[in-house]
Amino acid sequence: MDHTNTEKKTKPVAPKVKELITNTKSVILATVDAEGTPNSSYAPFVQVGNTFYILVSFMAKHTKNLSEGRKTSVMFIEDESATKQIYARERLTLESTTSQIERDSEVWNQVVAQLKETHGKVVDIISEMGDFILIALQPVKGSYVNGFGSAYFVDANLEIVEHRNDANHQSK
């Protein structure tokens, strides 16, 4: 008897997206310039709600790309030294919109205080430098991977939408 259409599919255990973010101190940034040339970098961050904030120097190429609202991808990834399998590092990649936060606004002051609490007194120094700006990274959608065959779509609220089981890994 064929039970393929009547069997209940086992739903995967929801991965720990928020735990990965909590255990990460910096985010990897992928941006593009006006000509579409890609640029990658990183920045320490803090999270407020579902928004990530970074304090970055306008002298850096990625900062100009971020401040001009171009396409941005951010990635949180498990430390190499902590992974059991280098090909299957836990990671969260998010498409994000960007916006610059006005210096000395209420949001600026709250986020800079949180950055200092999280990353130390160096934030006092760099936040006073005129070339450093505060950027908000607002997730749109993304993907989370926590092992082979364990990939998920993520929504703007950093919640799992569904298991990415549409393509099976096959051996040659």
Side-chain angles (χ1 to χ4, degrees):
M1 181 178 221
D2 183 9
H3 295 285
T4 54
N5 292 333
T6 58
E7 287 181 6
K8 224 179 189 182
K9 290 188 178 182
T10 304
K11 209 172 190 180
V13 175
K16 299 177 181 177
V17 172
K18 293 172 181 143
E19 196 173 297
L20 174 62
I21 295 167
T22 300
N23 293 331
T24 307
K25 293 182 180 180
S26 62
V27 63
I28 297 171
L29 306 165
T31 65
V32 294
D33 66 17
E35 291 77 38
T37 304
N39 179 257
S40 60
S41 191
Y42 84 97
F45 75 93
V46 293
Q47 181 181 9
V48 178
N50 290 333
T51 304
F52 303 97
Y53 293 90
I54 56 175
L55 188 60
V56 287
S57 171
F58 205 83
M59 290 191 270
K61 185 176 182 179
H62 64 269
T63 302
K64 182 176 182 184
N65 298 340
L66 291 164
S67 69
E68 293 179 358
R70 296 200 178 91
K71 291 181 179 181
T72 301
S73 178
V74 298
M75 183 169 66
F76 304 85
I77 189 164
E78 176 184 30
D79 189 300
E80 286 183 7
S81 65
T83 191
K84 293 176 184 172
Q85 175 46 259
I86 196 70
Y87 281 99
R89 284 169 71 189
E90 182 183 9
R91 59 200 175 273
L92 171 67
T93 305
L94 300 168
E95 294 176 26
S96 301
T97 60
T98 63
S99 58
Q100 186 173 337
I101 304 303
E102 185 178 334
R103 185 177 285 275
D104 295 323
S105 67
E106 185 178 333
V107 172
W108 167 281
N109 291 331
Q110 289 174 347
V111 170
V112 167
Q114 190 170 343
L115 280 162
K116 180 182 175 186
E117 183 180 316
T118 303
H119 300 293
K121 292 182 181 185
V122 68
V123 175
D124 280 337
I125 298 166
I126 63 176
S127 65
E128 293 299 319
M129 295 178 174
D131 62 300
F132 274 79
I133 62 174
L134 186 62
I135 298 285
L137 303 162
Q138 185 63 52
V140 175
K141 63 181 178 178
S143 65
Y144 173 79
V145 176
N146 68 341
F148 291 115
S150 187
Y152 304 83
F153 292 109
V154 177
D155 66 15
N157 296 316
L158 307 175
E159 298 293 334
I160 299 303
V161 176
E162 66 180 311
H163 187 247
R164 294 180 62 173
N165 59 356
D166 53 357
N168 294 324
H169 294 286
Q170 297 178 1
S171 299
K172 285 189 175 185

